[in-house]
Amino acid sequence: MARIDAFFKILITSKGSDLHLSEGQPPKIRVHGSVKAIPDEPILEGESFKEMLAEICDPKAFQKYLVGGDLDFAYEMDLDSRFRCNYLQQQNGLAAVFRLIPTEIMSLESLGVPEMVKQFGHMRSGLVLVTGPTGSGKSTTLAALLDYINTNFSRHIITIEEPIEFVHRNKMSILTQREVHVQTPSFADGLRAAMRQDADIVLVGEMRDLETISLALTAAETGLLVFGTLHTNNARKTVDRIIDVFPANQQSQVRTMLAASLRGVVAQLLCKRVDKPGRVAVHEIMFGTPAVSAIIREGATQKLYDVITGGKSEGMQFMDESIWSKLREGMISPAEAYMKAIDKTRFKKFLTKEQAHLGDASGENPLTH
């Protein structure tokens, strides 16, 4: 048993999501969104901390990390406990962040993802983007969507991830999971290769550069169904981000390509609950309707708000509507709703005078009384 496993066991029993280890600090865990130190644990330092990190890592990769300063990989403590590991260096020395990856892939229903999202699993080609800030559950939602496809359709699904998080077993579909830097040099290389590997569906773990985004658009145009992730909070910002990655002289052509290939955007945020411990997901959903395509082509993304709010009958949902419903049900506080909302004026009236003045992120929910 590796020495670090003791910390992982504390994380699991505390129902935490992340373990933070940093030289010069005590070990800390994130539980329901808040970070706190593990009680009675000494400060991590020196050679013993370095050896602890090296113990669960490939020796060559660890040497590369000591020189380069960053490393991503996955670690399996036992059959039920798998972690996404990120090693970094900071001003006091070495550090690492570990995210607990659930080994059981949850269903879309149990995650509280709207039923309409299943429609993306029925599509045969195009680009579907699942977006949200780091730690908002994008990977979990995508794993659930792939599992839905795997359970109901015969497809060849290729995932390109860094690192591989959820391990899928073949059901009706064939799943080929490839890890960046292990089975393929980069996201772009993996995506380029997928076009020659008789794939029906490709999951791109992160669309972070021009080459990967360009290849994803090309793959979607040539008949693959491409799922990708971006760190954006809503559908409009997602469309803008993709177009803005390209040089100005290419943006008109990219708008045309995106208008033709975008099938939809699912933006996801996590809100802290007040009715019980934990967090609840809120979603914005946009489908690539003819109206959406026309707006993207003409570059008038500010009009997407009206299309999404007017597209309820087609399954579309504006982020603030999802936040509003969770507030109305007493799941989240007015302060949390205000902090996460796009149009904050709608939620400001529910804050106490002190919160409205200070922008405080605590307080009771007046709607539950």
Side-chain angles (χ1 to χ4, degrees), residues 149-150 153-159 168-177 198-201:
I149 297 167
N150 189 13
F153 302 99
S154 296
R155 305 271 192 271
H156 180 207
I157 304 167
I158 295 176
T159 75
H168 293 265
R169 314 265 175 251
N170 291 347
K171 294 178 184 176
M172 277 187 73
S173 291
I174 303 166
L175 273 114
T176 304
Q177 295 188 259
D198 189 34
D200 299 295
I201 297 169

Side-chain angles (χ1 to χ4, degrees), residues 38-299:
I38 299 174
D40 308 320
E41 286 292 341
I43 285 171
L44 302 160
E45 52 193 353
E47 204 61 31
S48 66
F49 179 48
K50 182 177 168 184
E51 286 167 10
M52 186 194 289
L53 294 182
E55 200 175 359
I56 62 165
C57 184
D58 174 79
K60 279 186 188 168
F62 192 72
Q63 287 309 310
K64 200 171 160 188
Y65 153 66
L66 292 176
V67 175
D70 285 291
L71 177 66
D72 287 293
F73 65 100
Y75 169 65
E76 201 168 277
M77 181 172 74
D78 53 43
L79 286 173
D80 299 317
S81 312
R82 190 174 161 84
F83 299 87
R84 185 176 77 197
C85 315
N86 174 254
Y87 283 12
L88 61 146
Q89 293 185 27
Q90 41 90 25
Q91 72 268 35
N92 295 321
L94 307 182
V97 181
F98 304 89
R99 164 71 49 86
L100 177 62
I101 305 165
T103 46
E104 185 189 343
I105 297 168
M106 292 173 73
S107 67
L108 290 165
E109 288 85 355
S110 60
L111 291 171
V113 176
E115 182 78 12
M116 284 297 180
V117 170
K118 286 183 180 175
Q119 286 189 28
F120 295 120
H122 293 252
M123 294 174 179
R124 299 306 296 255
S125 66
L127 178 64
V128 176
L129 297 166
V130 177
T131 76
T134 303
S136 60
K138 297 185 294 292
S139 300
T140 309
T141 296
L142 271 169
L145 185 52
L146 286 192
D147 190 60
Y148 172 74
I149 297 167
N150 189 13
T151 305
N152 293 285
F153 302 99
S154 296
R155 305 271 192 271
H156 180 207
I157 304 167
I158 295 176
T159 75
I160 306 155
E161 303 169 77
E162 185 190 7
I164 291 169
E165 294 189 26
F166 295 89
V167 177
H168 293 265
R169 314 265 175 251
N170 291 347
K171 294 178 184 176
M172 277 187 73
S173 291
I174 303 166
L175 273 114
T176 304
Q177 295 188 259
R178 309 188 74 202
E179 189 163 318
V180 173
H181 304 311
V182 180
Q183 284 97 22
T184 184
S186 68
F187 284 110
D189 287 311
L191 189 46
R192 198 179 285 108
M195 292 191 238
R196 302 189 297 271
Q197 290 161 353
D198 189 34
D200 299 295
I201 297 169
V202 182
L203 165 72
V204 187
E206 210 166 310
M207 289 169 50
R208 59 168 79 126
D209 56 55
L210 189 150
E211 187 184 15
T212 307
I213 291 170
S214 180
L215 282 165
L217 284 168
T218 303
E221 274 198 324
T222 55
L224 287 174
L225 178 58
V226 180
F227 290 106
T229 68
L230 282 173
H231 294 282
T232 44
N233 287 359
N234 58 55
R236 180 189 170 179
K237 283 184 184 171
T238 301
V239 171
D240 288 341
R241 172 73 57 84
I242 285 187
I243 291 160
D244 289 346
V245 163
F246 290 84
N249 64 337
Q250 292 177 27
Q251 289 183 2
S252 172
Q253 183 194 349
V254 170
R255 275 198 292 271
T256 303
M257 286 178 76
L258 188 61
S261 61
L262 187 67
R263 295 291 173 266
V265 176
V266 180
Q268 181 168 305
L269 298 172
L270 289 180
C271 295
K272 199 165 190 174
R273 297 185 76 135
V274 287
D275 57 336
K276 61 181 184 181
R279 291 182 291 174
V280 63
V282 289
H283 299 90
E284 179 162 301
I285 300 167
M286 182 182 81
F287 286 97
T289 60
V292 166
S293 296
I295 285 168
I296 293 170
R297 258 194 310 275
E298 67 187 59

